[in-house]
Amino acid sequence: MKEGLRGKKISLNNNNRGKSGVKILGVIPARYGSTRLKAKPLIDFLGKPVVQHVFERAKLSNLLDKIVVATDSNLIFDKVMDFGGEAVMTDPAHQSGTDRVAEVAKKMSYDIIVNIQGDEPTITPGLVNEAVKPLLENKEVYFATLKTRINSFEDLVNPNVVKVITDKNGFAIYFSRSVIPYNFNKEINFRDENYFKHIGIYVYRKDFLLKYVALNCTELEKRERLEQLRALEHGFKIKVAETSGDTVSIDVAEDLERAKQFFKKQK
């Protein structure tokens, strides 16, 4: 046992296997100093802080054996403790959420690690499960995420809505904040079946995750500010499963109202 929580101990060597036969850890990276919307994990969203919505909804997944919040902030840590969640303090110098997730994963004995974004209060347990399944179904898949069809022109042209294109086997070719693919023959039409939104849930085999965060940052990653491009630029494959579900990320203040409307539709 290790004092990973103030006032609560967590096991770093839980040897109980989940229903899938492998141990699966969900980690919610929650940084206080977001560049576009400061302290967004603590923002009130329909009566609860954003991070609490994420934790409680992800915890409903029947594939996750444990879920923790990884943060650099005492305020976020205390808030998670207040609502009965589990939290781990991590290095404030981390440059990305993935680095924060990897620090937690390195200290805990789990086979598969799920990186659940701390700014998506509309996440569902179904989306978590759909992202995990490619690794359970194919031992050759070591990195997976999700995509869903874009259903509005607003989302198609919004740089905060990341787009993805895949090959015929469902592996990522590219992620971008721009509209991809470009259609030379006609005007942009969001109803075109080739337009997909990337849903930012990342699932890794633990050994790959630790290798991944040790890679050097790449030029495309820096330009797009999309860390998953690091894997592609270094020649690794990302399986992208298609889902009919969706979620709304809170990147800027204007996203709060969009997320609230989406949440009400879900309910």
Side-chain angles (χ1 to χ4, degrees):
M1 302 287 285
K2 181 174 180 178
E3 197 70 42
L5 310 175
R6 285 206 296 265
K8 184 175 181 180
K9 293 183 178 180
I10 61 174
S11 172
L12 300 185
N13 292 289
N14 181 357
N15 292 317
N16 294 324
R17 296 271 164 176
K19 294 178 182 178
S20 62
V22 296
K23 290 164 44 181
I24 304 176
L25 172 68
V27 184
I28 302 171
R31 185 166 70 99
Y32 184 85
S34 172
T35 55
R36 288 177 287 183
L37 188 60
K38 189 176 181 180
K40 61 183 176 180
L42 297 177
I43 291 175
D44 180 84
F45 182 79
L46 300 174
K48 297 179 182 179
V50 167
V51 69
Q52 183 174 352
H53 282 283
V54 179
F55 185 93
E56 291 178 347
R57 288 160 75 87
K59 196 172 178 65
L60 295 175
S61 166
N62 63 347
L63 293 181
L64 300 182
D65 298 301
K66 179 188 280 291
I67 183 166
V68 299
V69 175
T71 186
D72 61 347
S73 164
N74 288 325
L75 292 174
I76 295 174
F77 184 101
D78 290 341
K79 181 61 66 175
V80 174
M81 292 293 290
D82 287 344
F83 67 70
E86 294 190 25
V88 179
M89 291 296 295
T90 53
D91 190 340
H94 286 316
Q95 296 299 304
S96 72
T98 305
D99 294 324
R100 206 169 301 286
V101 170
E103 180 184 337
V104 175
K106 188 175 182 179
K107 299 173 182 176
M108 303 178 77
S109 55
Y110 286 81
D111 306 297
I112 292 175
I113 313 299
V114 187
N115 180 345
I116 304 165
Q117 304 301 297
D119 58 2
E120 294 192 345
T122 60
I123 192 69
T124 67
L127 289 173
V128 174
N129 289 353
E130 288 183 274
V132 171
K133 283 181 180 178
L135 277 75
L136 298 180
E137 296 172 348
N138 186 344
K139 293 182 179 179
E140 300 301 314
V141 174
Y142 46 80
F143 188 179
T145 189
L146 293 176
K147 68 176 181 179
T148 192
R149 292 186 186 278
I150 291 177
N151 58 19
S152 75
F153 183 78
E154 178 187 12
D155 280 353
L156 185 60
V157 298
N158 184 349
N160 291 322
V161 176
V162 177
K163 275 66 72 173
V164 60
I165 51 175
T166 57
D167 65 19
K168 294 184 180 297
N169 296 314
F171 288 93
I173 294 174
Y174 194 63
F175 298 85
S176 182
R177 298 183 182 277
S178 300
V179 178
I180 54 172
Y182 176 78
N183 193 326
F184 186 82
N185 296 315
K186 60 182 180 180
E187 295 180 358
I188 292 175
N189 181 353
F190 71 84
R191 295 180 178 85
D192 188 321
E193 64 179 15
N194 289 320
Y195 292 119
F196 285 94
K197 168 187 173 180
H198 173 229
I199 295 178
I201 304 173
Y202 303 99
V203 186
Y204 328 86
R205 297 196 188 279
K206 178 179 176 178
D207 55 351
F208 172 74
L209 172 60
L210 299 183
K211 179 189 298 185
Y212 172 44
V213 295
L215 298 172
N216 292 328
C217 291
T218 54
E219 187 60 33
L220 292 175
E221 174 189 4
K222 294 174 184 176
R223 288 189 181 189
E224 295 265 17
R225 295 186 68 179
L226 297 174
E227 60 189 279
Q228 65 269 34
L229 290 175
R230 185 189 316 177
L232 295 184
E233 288 191 81
H234 281 281
F236 294 102
K237 289 188 173 184
I238 304 175
K239 180 69 174 180
V240 186
E242 183 176 350
T243 177
S244 60
D246 200 357
T247 186
V248 176
S249 298
I250 297 175
D251 296 300
V252 293
E254 292 76 13
D255 292 332
L256 282 166
E257 186 57 36
R258 293 177 61 242
K260 287 176 182 178
Q261 294 304 317
F262 186 86
F263 188 91
K264 290 174 181 178
K265 289 180 181 178
Q266 282 186 326
K267 299 290 281 188

